[in-house]
């Protein structure tokens, strides 16, 4: 079985795959101070509740946008699963896609994994919208090359900034408003955040397609993807497992390439 780890700015997701598909998925807050032993105790208990054992894990693949977490995730892999992890960004990990950007080393591991997964599943060209701590818009061409994109503040980040910077504005949960015109402070905030974000999505997708010069499918992923997809027609598919599946695809491809190497 494969343990796939997606370490993001806010949450770290652990998922186990076997030949039949995903066997389990668990989420923890990303904390650079969490030790390998703390993660190990927590994860082994969750594996046990799903009928899995540490010895079932034969390989680990890691993508992280928080470099400070990688050391402890490597230690977790060695100490509890007795294997050297495959880490996105390591020199020996070939992503199998072209990076048509000015500074390839600056592209987040999650964005590259999404590009691999998106093209493998849907072909191309694509726009992949990932609703995370930041909301990213990534462009993948018909050949599967990563072509860059756009980065906007995440929805919850925008809400928190609005609350902190304005003395009279409360902290509110993101949600679809009943009307555009709010008759009180909270409904007005919900309208501005939600419908303002819909406008951001539609505007950026329109401009990306116009600049790219060809029709593109739009794939959305991340926890808030379904909430926003219901309000706009520019999103064609919501795929919550895009990143985790990308880690599985990368691991399978890498093993195949290594096996066929002379």
């Amino acid at each position: 079985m494969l343990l796939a780890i997606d370490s993001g700015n806010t949450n770290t997701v652990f998922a186990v795959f076997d030949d039949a598909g995903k066997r389990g998925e668990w989420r923890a807050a990303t904390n650079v101070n969490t030790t390998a032993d703390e993660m190990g105790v927590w994860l082994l208990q969750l594996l046990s509740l799903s009928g899995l054992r540490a010895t079932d894990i034969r390989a680990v693949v890691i993508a992280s946008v928080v470099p400070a977490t990688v050391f402890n995730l490597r230690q977790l892999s060695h100490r509890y699963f007795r294997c050297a992890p495959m880490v996105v960004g390591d020199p020996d990990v070939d992503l199998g896609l072209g990076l048509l950007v000015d500074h390839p080393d600056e592209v987040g591991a999650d964005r590259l994994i999404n590009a691999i997964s998106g093209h493998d599943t849907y072909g191309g060209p694509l726009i992949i919208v990932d609703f995370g701590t930041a909301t990213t818009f990534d462009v993948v061409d018909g050949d599967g090359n990563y072509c860059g994109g756009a980065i906007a503040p995440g929805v919850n980040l925008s809400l928190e900034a609005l609350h902190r910077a304005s003395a009279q504005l409360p902290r509110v949960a993101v949600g679809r408003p009943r009307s555009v015109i709010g008759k009180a402070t909270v409904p007005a905030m919900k309208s501005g955040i939600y419908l303002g974000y819909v406008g951001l999505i539609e505007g950026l997708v329109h401009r990306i397609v116009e600049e790219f010069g060809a029709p593109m499918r739009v794939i959305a992923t991340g926890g808030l993807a379904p909430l926003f997809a219901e309000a706009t027609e520019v999103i064609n598919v919501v795929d919550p497992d895009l990143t985790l599946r990308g880690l599985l695809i990368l691991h399978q491809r890498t093993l195949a390439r290594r096996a066929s190497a002379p």
Side-chain angles (χ1 to χ4, degrees):
M1 292 184 185
L2 171 70
L3 173 63
I5 305 174
D6 173 26
S7 182
N9 288 298
T10 303
N11 293 312
T12 297
V13 182
F14 301 80
V16 172
F17 292 91
D18 63 12
D19 293 338
K22 188 168 63 175
R23 289 287 302 273
E25 178 182 330
W26 307 276
R27 186 177 301 264
T30 299
N31 184 342
V32 298
N33 296 315
T34 301
T35 68
D37 293 325
E38 289 170 326
M39 283 188 285
V41 170
W42 173 82
L43 185 55
L44 289 180
Q45 289 182 8
L46 292 171
L47 288 170
S48 178
L49 290 172
S50 297
L52 302 173
R53 298 172 298 174
T55 53
D56 294 327
I57 306 300
R58 301 301 179 87
V60 179
V61 58
I62 299 169
S64 177
V65 297
V66 185
T69 67
V70 174
F71 175 80
N72 283 329
L73 291 172
R74 288 184 189 272
Q75 290 294 103
L76 171 73
S77 303
H78 285 286
R79 191 172 300 165
Y80 289 91
F81 303 110
R82 302 292 188 267
C83 61
M86 181 183 298
V87 180
V88 177
D90 280 0
D92 62 338
V93 177
D94 181 6
L95 298 177
L97 78 168
L99 299 179
L100 309 183
V101 294
D102 294 337
H103 303 285
D105 57 313
E106 294 179 357
V107 183
D110 55 343
R111 303 175 75 185
L112 298 176
I113 293 300
N114 283 348
I116 293 170
S117 183
H119 188 263
D120 183 83
T121 307
Y122 304 103
L126 300 173
I127 300 172
I128 299 172
V129 186
D130 191 345
F131 294 88
T133 306
T135 298
T136 56
F137 298 74
D138 293 310
V139 176
V140 183
D141 68 17
D143 296 323
N145 299 309
Y146 179 82
C147 303
I151 303 173
V155 184
N156 288 318
L157 192 62
S158 299
L159 276 169
E160 186 63 21
L162 188 62
H163 165 70
R164 290 193 176 192
S166 306
Q168 291 185 303
L169 296 182
R171 185 180 279 109
V172 300
V174 62
R176 189 168 187 171
R178 295 181 180 179
S179 61
V180 180
I181 303 172
K183 300 294 186 180
T185 298
V186 170
M189 291 176 66
K190 286 188 174 183
S191 174
I193 288 292
Y194 184 85
L195 296 175
Y197 232 82
V198 170
L200 180 147
I201 295 164
E202 293 175 340
L204 275 173
V205 166
H206 172 75
R207 289 174 181 270
I208 290 171
V209 171
E210 186 176 52
E211 186 171 299
F212 189 81
M216 309 175 77
R217 294 189 77 186
V218 179
I219 314 302
T221 191
L224 292 175
L227 179 64
F228 285 97
E230 69 182 27
T232 177
E233 295 181 355
V234 302
I235 294 175
N236 302 118
V237 179
V238 174
D239 188 340
D241 289 329
L242 188 72
T243 309
L244 292 173
R245 193 171 65 251
L247 287 170
L248 173 64
I249 293 167
L250 173 65
H251 184 263
Q252 292 172 335
R253 288 181 178 177
T254 301
L255 290 184
R257 280 193 291 268
R258 290 175 179 174
S260 63

